Amino acid sequence: MLPIRSRSKRDRTVRMESYRYLSRTPLVLPLSSLFSPSSAPPPAARRPATPPSSPPPVSAGSARPILLTRPSNSSPFVCIPQRGVEARGRDSPHLGATAATARPPAPPAAALEARPRRMLGRFPVALRLHRSILRGSSGRRGLSAMAGGDEEGRLGDFFEYMERLRNYERSGVPRGAGTDSDDGFDLGRMRRLLRRLGDPHTHFPAVHIAGTKGKGSTAAFLSNIMREQGYNVGCYSSPHLLTIRERISVGNDGGPVPVRLLSDLFDQAKEAIDESIESENGALTHFEAGLGGARDATHVIQSTELAASVITTVGSEHLAALGGSLQSIAIAKSGIIKQGRPVVIGGPFSADIEQIIRDRAFLTQSPVISACDPGIKSITKYIDWDNGKPYQCCDISIKISNDMPLSIELCDVNLKLLGDHQRQNAVTASCTALCLRDLGWDISEASIQAGLEGTQLPGRSQILTREEALLLGLDGATTVLIDGAHTEASAKTLSNMIQTIRPEGPLALVVGMANDKAHFAFAEQLLAGSRPDVVLLTEASIAGGASRTMPALSLKEIWMAAARYLDFNCVDIGTISGAKAPEYITNLVASSSSFAGKPTVMIGCQDDTVPSSCDLIRAASQLILESGGSDDPSPGLICVTGSLHLVASVLQHLERH
């Protein structure tokens, strides 16, 4: 186990190179990211899509990348618009060429020998955006800023419009929708919609990030690295926690797209969207991303717009939609690799999965940078706490000499995102930043370290403050961890992290999940690894609906079966809510004390009267306090997990209060 320092605050300084913000062209965000083309058009609409017009030729200048990412349930965007040529670094004289100087593309046969260098300025601006999005006072917004408060009322027409569209996030992704087959989503309608909007995705270079897990964290790390260097960055991701505006972050502060900007953009684009809905016989949807790779709604970026691709991990999520096997998932996700453009692979991958990705890169003559290269070393030295929040102190060393030589030494990197998996995501983001630097972008080592250290994601390994615990009705001494883990792999990762940071005392899990997850495997990983004393099952509303919600009673039966499979002693405490009297809780705990020699876990679920998961958190607190007994006053740990939508309900409760 890693050493955990007990100091409440650790003074430190971060050395940063001085830089100045220079002139930048406005950021263009594709509003169509929110309006995905449906996979099930009427027969009349199933005709070959007209190929999109070719983007403008590449010309010399100083374009900056756009990061396309794919977070939790979708394929996100990070975009970094052009900067003026006066912003070039002293060590990058090749960026000083004027925008009028054209660079012919390298012949395909020479793509590997003359590896891709720099994305060059060529992007016109189609939609006029407020200059205010290019400014921001703080990159660390609180819940109120994320939610938008009363300003959200201005988006009433937008919300109403979106609710009229089919929403696959709420109803579930159809079988085969992510495969490159007749069952797959039809990207032709997405391209036609984008053409009506002026092809905004061709107005900036991009980094496109795919993967089963780690997409959102890698995107956040990379976005903050670029912001630390002085770039304005935009990112599209999903799902959101408090407001749909979180799905688009813009400017140098990393906050959600402002209410006024989103409202104005919607007003500008609505006519084109209406025309597209009519021409496509109503086959546009609210949401159908989240598949990764070939048929994801963000897969409209061509090699001429792409700076680099990133594939973080490949796991068994959305199996039915992506072909039914890990190999088919890897094939789908490798679809984002484009001709002659570098790809960063995170991993670790099994040999056959990595070979599928490398085979695709070979076919497209794309340099491969592996975040698991033998020349990369990373280690977590210890866990410490700063103002009530834990962080892991890491060293990261990258020395790669393959397709694209990269090198950096980072010492004492204090990551707020915990766990070995987040350290690996930080390595992947660092490799991507170094790849962009090799392509011509100005990115200092100080900016890489500062960007990694400044990254935090709500709902991912988030430990609530004492004040937030009090708002949940707890005594403020109990540690509350919220994490959106919902797969077998992420459950194992969460279990390892719980063991790392777990305080003295009992452990309670509050779990709610969607009905299309691997529930038994998820339960098995958390039971075997973290050995909880209490498990309470609840119901998570998915995207505002109940069609994908797993019933709490069904979850309880699965967890009971998993506990018996692991040879745990189980105490079925039935249905329970925060309204239960303390005497009832005491009696339940007493009934569980009759077992000896085996791990014992109390498993229950919410009843029909529970208004929110927060009531169940209070019940969990009572249960673990009682289970500790008078001889052990340790408050213990409560972990809320199973779905980002469940985590969002906790954050929404904190926002309301």
Side-chain angles (χ1 to χ4, degrees):
M1 182 176 291
L2 293 169
I4 300 179
R5 299 191 173 185
S6 59
R7 291 175 293 173
S8 61
K9 185 173 182 179
R10 182 172 182 261
D11 295 332
R12 60 181 176 85
T13 59
V14 177
R15 296 183 300 276
M16 295 179 57
E17 293 182 0
S18 60
Y19 60 86
R20 60 195 180 95
Y21 290 100
L22 299 163
S23 62
R24 305 166 178 86
T25 60
L27 173 66
V28 177
L29 284 170
L31 200 72
S32 54
S33 300
L34 298 174
F35 299 90
S36 307
S38 170
S39 64
R46 283 194 180 275
R47 58 181 181 273
T50 303
S53 57
S54 300
V58 175
S59 59
S62 59
R64 296 305 178 218
I66 132 182
L67 278 165
L68 256 185
T69 98
R70 310 176 139 204
S72 291
N73 285 330
S74 106
S75 310
F77 275 136
V78 180
C79 46
I80 305 165
Q82 293 177 297
R83 283 210 305 190
V85 292
E86 71 274 18
R88 65 185 184 273
R90 293 187 298 273
D91 298 327
S92 303
H94 56 275
L95 290 180
T98 65
T101 306
R103 177 176 68 89
L112 287 180
E113 289 76 13
R115 64 179 185 272
R117 293 299 303 165
R118 55 197 179 279
M119 296 291 293
L120 302 170
R122 70 189 187 283
F123 301 107
V125 177
L127 296 176
R128 298 181 181 225
L129 303 190
H130 296 283
R131 295 293 298 179
S132 61
I133 72 168
L134 301 181
R135 297 186 295 272
S137 58
S138 171
R140 311 291 178 259
R141 297 195 175 193
L143 291 178
S144 296
M146 288 175 59
D150 294 337
E151 289 188 9
E152 292 270 308
R154 295 188 56 183
L155 294 174
D157 291 343
F158 170 73
F159 292 141
E160 182 181 350
Y161 192 98
M162 296 291 284
E163 281 299 310
R164 294 201 299 265
L165 303 176
R166 181 182 301 171
N167 188 344
Y168 285 120
E169 185 178 21
R170 182 179 298 164
S171 62
V173 178
R175 180 176 294 273
T179 60
D180 201 7
S181 67
D182 290 341
D183 294 326
F185 284 147
D186 178 12
L187 290 180
R189 279 183 298 281
M190 171 60 75
R191 296 188 178 101
R192 291 190 288 274
L193 171 59
L194 288 170
R195 195 174 306 125
R196 289 179 183 274
L197 295 170
D199 285 322
H201 61 299
T202 66
H203 299 161
F204 39 72
V207 173
H208 202 176
I209 304 179
T212 303
K213 305 299 294 183
K215 305 173 293 292
S217 299
T218 302
F221 279 133
L222 189 53
S223 298
N224 284 329
I225 288 170
M226 303 304 285
R227 289 187 182 102
E228 289 290 342
Q229 188 64 34
Y231 297 114
N232 286 294
V233 182
C235 178
Y236 169 71
S237 64
S238 70
H240 62 270
L241 295 176
L242 298 178
T243 169
I244 198 171
R245 296 186 299 107
E246 296 167 37
R247 300 190 182 210
I248 303 174
S249 64
V250 292
N252 56 42
D253 71 344
V257 59
V259 170
R260 178 183 175 188
L261 174 58
L262 181 57
S263 177
D264 289 350
L265 276 174
F266 173 67
D267 290 342
Q268 293 179 37
K270 184 177 180 298
E271 182 178 354
I273 297 169
D274 286 338
E275 293 172 354
S276 185
I277 290 175
E278 182 178 357
S279 66
E280 304 289 355
N281 296 317
L284 289 183
T285 72
H286 179 293
F287 179 93
E288 66 183 37
L291 304 172
R295 294 300 181 98
D296 190 275
T298 63
H299 190 224
V300 292
I301 301 297
Q302 304 299 318
S303 59
T304 47
E305 291 105 52
L306 188 69
S309 300
V310 181
I311 300 176
T312 55
T313 60
V314 172
S316 55
E317 189 173 17
H318 301 305
L319 274 174
L322 291 171
S325 70
L326 285 177
Q327 290 73 23
S328 64
I329 291 176
I331 291 171
K333 295 188 184 305
S334 64
I336 71 167
I337 302 174
K338 295 297 192 301
Q339 185 68 37
R341 307 312 303 164
V343 56
V344 178
I345 58 176
F349 302 97
S350 61
D352 60 328
I353 296 300
E354 182 166 340
Q355 192 58 51
I356 289 172
I357 299 172
R358 288 185 177 273
D359 286 348
R360 167 70 181 180
F362 178 79
L363 290 175
T364 58
Q365 300 176 315
S366 300
V368 178
I369 300 99
S370 173
C372 292
D373 187 277
I376 296 178
K377 309 293 182 186
S378 69
I379 185 174
T380 297
K381 299 190 292 186
Y382 58 83
I383 304 291
D384 203 349
W385 294 72
D386 183 13
N387 292 329
K389 297 283 187 178
Y391 65 88
Q392 56 179 338
C393 182
C394 310
D395 287 345
I396 297 174
S397 173
I398 299 174
K399 294 180 180 178
I400 299 177
S401 57
N402 295 327
D403 288 358
M404 185 177 286
L406 306 175
S407 178
I408 194 171
E409 292 281 345
L410 300 174
C411 298
D412 294 331
V413 182
N414 297 324
L415 297 180
K416 296 181 178 68
L417 297 181
L418 304 179
D420 294 343
H421 65 299
Q422 293 293 6
R423 190 180 71 241
Q424 180 65 17
N425 291 335
V427 170
T428 302
S430 298
C431 287
T432 309
L434 294 174
C435 173
L436 295 177
R437 185 167 73 178
D438 191 75
L439 296 175
W441 279 271
D442 307 325
I443 305 174
S444 69
E445 294 189 5
S447 293
I448 293 176
Q449 178 151 353
L452 296 178
E453 293 186 328
T455 299
Q456 47 192 327
L457 284 175
R460 283 82 163 181
S461 305
Q462 179 182 354
I463 292 182
L464 301 186
T465 64
R466 183 178 183 276
E467 291 73 19
E468 289 169 334
L470 289 171
L471 288 175
L472 293 177
L474 307 182
D475 58 7
T478 302
T479 301
V480 181
L481 167 68
I482 58 176
D483 186 273
H486 55 272
T487 67
E488 179 181 6
S490 59
K492 183 177 181 179
T493 298
L494 175 60
S495 181
N496 292 337
M497 195 191 68
I498 288 174
Q499 294 179 63
T500 300
I501 66 167
R502 182 175 178 176
E504 295 295 329
L507 168 66
L509 302 178
V510 177
V511 181
M513 303 186 74
N515 59 15
D516 55 356
K517 306 303 178 186
H519 307 106
F520 187 92
F522 185 86
E524 186 180 5
Q525 288 293 341
L526 280 175
L527 286 169
S530 59
R531 294 184 176 270
D533 301 279
V534 176
V535 177
L536 297 182
L537 291 313
T538 185
E539 296 181 356
S541 174
I542 308 299
S547 61
R548 290 180 58 208
T549 297
M550 184 67 173
L553 188 59
S554 300
L555 272 181
K556 190 189 79 168
E557 296 305 320
I558 292 172
W559 277 75
M560 293 286 291
R564 295 189 189 100
Y565 175 79
L566 294 170
D567 202 25
F568 279 41
N569 286 317
C570 301
V571 178
D572 184 350
I573 59 177
T575 58
I576 191 172
S577 75
K580 295 291 186 182
E583 300 80 30
Y584 176 74
I585 300 292
T586 302
N587 292 335
L588 288 174
V589 174
S591 68
S592 69
S593 62
S594 59
F595 299 102
K598 292 182 180 180
T600 300
V601 57
M602 294 182 285
I603 301 178
C605 65
Q606 72 174 42
D607 61 22
D608 295 335
T609 66
V610 178
S612 74
S613 58
C614 297
D615 292 294
L616 219 57
I617 293 174
R618 286 190 287 271
S621 176
Q622 288 180 280
L623 282 165
I624 62 173
L625 286 174
E626 290 288 343
S627 65
S630 58
D631 296 333
D632 183 9
S634 303
L637 171 68
I638 298 174
C639 177
V640 181
T641 188
S643 168
L644 273 173
H645 299 279
L646 175 63
V647 166
S649 70
V650 177
L651 295 177
Q652 288 163 0
H653 176 89
L654 296 176
E655 165 62 19
R656 287 194 300 269
H657 293 80

